[in-house]
Amino acid sequence: MSGSGAVRGVIAGGALFACAPTAPIAAPVAVRTVESAGPGVPAAPAAADPGPALQARVCGERSPCEVRRARAAGQDPAGRTLTVLSVDLGSRSPRSDAPAEVATTDDGFAEEGSQDSFWPGASGRCREIEYWLVVGEQRAPEAVQQLFSVCNDGNGAAGLGEDTVTIGDDSLEHASSGGSNWRWSSTRRFELAPLRLRERSGDGSFVFGPNVERRSWSFDRFAGEVSWYSPPCDRATGEPSEVAEGSQVELTYSLIPAVAIDAAFTGGGWKEARLGGCALALKDGPPGGPNDAAMRVVAAAGEAATTLLIEVEDDQLTPGDQLELWLAEPALNYMDHCLGDTAGGLRQWSIGVVDGRVLAGHGRPEPAALAVERAAQGLRLRLTPRGSFAALTLVYVDRDANERSARRLATSPLVPGRRETLGGLQAIEPEAASCAVIAGRLEPVLHALAGPGPVLR
């Protein structure tokens, strides 16, 4: 799901984004979910005329450059006025380095209440609009922050892409779409005070087949999901098989966050502190009920090798309880035209929860290729696999006494030997969030975006 670069300062198509230097926001011990403003938000009331001083501060010596609209966006927690400026940088050809020109028509651009819309114009030029956040009264603002700009050239070879920017009360949303025969769309929702990313989502699809993907991540919940489908290959021809729409079952899994973690925690603090809201949490059975088990897992980003930190809770710990780590290289996804024999490229280890013993499983990897460290107190383990991987699934196998079959708590709907059923990681940029120990638990620390713009890249 990749775009053409028509959105300047933004990686379109649901891909990961980079941010400017940040300041930490006081981390909630439990991240609350708050509804984001979207396209259905009432029209933002008009803000006051920005005046020549703010115009000069935003535009500098750039030409063409003009503050087109100032939209009221509510107030920050201190009661200061929030305003989003749309700054017109004229029209330009995305296929040449020729300077922009003053736009003489609104071809490819429309304003409506709280929303701006962009599409490829008939002239082959794109209208470039830049967005700025103003904190405080416009005549004497306390802060002016460049956010991002949009210039829609079709967003891909198909030339059919669209962009919308919606301003709401303490919120901003940017939705974009484009592509070629492989189409994509992405949506990012921001809080304005403090300025931070709250949610991103994206879809992908194939024009000539049923291939599809849906991907989302919420910083409010610090959790995300992926769902995708690719048809099976015909055994005789190797081409995609015809599958009735009602029988196209998507593969769905929860994402394991791969996030920058306080070095004191990864170095040894994990043996004492609990895994809190920073980890993917899975649970089997009702709270306090029989066979109740839970697993939390998070990946430490920025390490020389990917390290998985795991915490298990079990009401009946037995010698047969174990973890299974499944890794694959390469990963499969919806952009594989069809799925044939997917057993190759898999490695699996079994790890005893009680004693930390490692046994090789599927693919017969070397036991020594997985480093395992177990805390003396509590069911906490640190796993560091050697070598690269693109997909992974972690399973807790719960073998309770007097149970004929084990219960399996997994990060994806794993079918042993089928690579497409593995899950994966969600890389969290350190500019957006990190994790630290708060009140004895590893919790997310969400970061405010600040610094030289554009910060919403």
Side-chain angles (χ1 to χ4, degrees):
M1 300 192 312
S2 59
S4 65
V7 182
R8 306 182 76 187
V10 177
I11 300 179
L16 301 181
F17 74 102
C19 306
T22 62
I25 301 171
V29 173
V31 180
R32 295 184 301 166
T33 301
V34 183
E35 290 299 323
S36 297
V41 173
D49 182 353
L54 188 55
Q55 166 92 20
R57 183 170 176 178
V58 167
C59 289
E61 300 297 322
R62 296 185 297 173
S63 179
C65 179
E66 180 180 9
V67 176
R68 187 177 179 94
R69 294 191 69 175
R71 292 182 171 101
Q75 296 181 333
D76 71 1
R80 297 177 298 182
T81 299
L82 301 175
T83 305
V84 175
L85 306 180
S86 54
V87 180
D88 192 346
L89 301 182
S91 68
R92 62 180 177 84
S93 171
R95 297 169 183 82
S96 75
D97 295 328
E101 301 175 357
V102 174
T104 57
T105 73
D106 281 339
D107 182 31
F109 173 67
E111 299 167 305
E112 183 178 352
S114 62
Q115 187 175 91
D116 290 347
S117 300
F118 302 79
W119 63 93
S123 65
R125 302 178 68 84
C126 68
R127 185 67 165 274
E128 185 167 10
I129 302 293
E130 199 171 68
Y131 294 89
W132 292 69
L133 174 64
V134 178
V135 180
E137 297 300 323
Q138 294 181 53
R139 298 292 177 178
E142 297 182 39
V144 179
Q145 177 68 67
Q146 184 185 3
L147 301 178
F148 65 98
S149 65
V150 178
C151 197
N152 186 306
D153 64 350
N155 294 350
L160 300 174
E162 298 180 352
D163 286 89
T164 59
V165 177
T166 305
I167 294 96
D169 187 12
D170 191 22
S171 70
L172 183 146
E173 176 182 293
H174 177 213
S176 185
S177 65
S180 53
N181 291 336
W182 294 94
R183 301 291 169 82
W184 54 261
S185 66
S186 68
T187 301
R188 302 183 304 155
R189 296 181 178 89
F190 298 91
E191 182 179 15
L192 296 179
L195 181 60
R196 70 174 182 92
L197 178 62
R198 294 183 56 198
E199 181 181 338
R200 61 176 168 223
S201 59
D203 296 344
S205 62
F206 184 45
V207 173
F208 301 109
N211 307 56
V212 66
E213 179 188 71
R214 282 171 274 273
R215 180 180 293 266
S216 65
W217 180 265
S218 167
F219 283 89
D220 290 331
R221 297 185 297 115
F222 216 73
E225 298 79 32
V226 174
S227 180
W228 66 278
Y229 176 79
S230 180
C233 296
D234 184 277
R235 292 185 178 181
T237 66
E239 295 297 315
S241 299
E242 292 287 341
V243 179
E245 185 173 349
S247 300
Q248 297 171 6
V249 179
E250 295 185 11
L251 295 157
T252 302
Y253 61 90
S254 297
L255 289 159
I256 299 171
V259 59
I261 299 176
D262 185 359
F265 185 87
T266 58
W270 62 272
K271 298 178 182 179
E272 304 294 335
R274 302 285 304 275
L275 292 181
C278 249
L280 168 63
L282 303 172
K283 193 170 183 62
D284 175 39
N291 309 116
D292 186 21
M295 177 174 65
R296 295 178 178 85
V297 56
V298 63
E303 303 258 330
T306 300
T307 296
L308 300 172
L309 300 164
I310 302 148
E311 182 178 292
V312 173
E313 297 177 16
D314 195 341
D315 63 337
Q316 296 183 34
L317 189 63
T318 69
D321 292 339
Q322 63 183 21
L323 291 169
E324 291 180 1
L325 177 63
W326 292 78
L327 303 179
E329 180 83 42
L332 297 173
N333 59 49
Y334 84 106
M335 296 190 78
D336 290 283
H337 281 279
C338 62
L339 302 177
D341 181 4
T342 63
L346 279 168
R347 295 176 287 158
Q348 181 245 329
W349 295 266
S350 295
I351 306 102
V353 173
V354 174
D355 58 11
R357 184 184 180 192
V358 179
L359 297 175
H362 187 95
R364 299 183 180 275
E366 289 291 332
L370 178 65
V372 176
E373 189 176 358
R374 186 181 182 280
Q377 300 294 327
L379 300 180
R380 302 187 186 100
L381 296 95
R382 172 180 169 137
L383 309 184
T384 306
R386 190 170 63 198
S388 63
F389 61 88
L392 85 156
T393 289
L394 193 70
V395 184
Y396 179 55
V397 183
D398 183 14
R399 291 185 173 89
D400 285 339
N402 302 320
E403 289 272 338
R404 289 190 175 183
S405 60
R407 296 170 179 261
R408 297 173 66 85
L409 195 59
T411 59
S412 75
L414 175 74
V415 177
R418 289 181 56 185
R419 185 158 38 111
E420 75 273 20
T421 63
L422 269 64
L425 302 175
Q426 173 65 59
I428 305 297
E429 304 81 350
E431 296 85 359
S434 60
C435 290
V437 176
I438 301 173
R441 297 170 64 90
L442 190 70
E443 302 290 352
V445 178
L446 309 180
H447 296 170
L449 309 177
V455 294
L456 307 188
R457 294 199 293 268

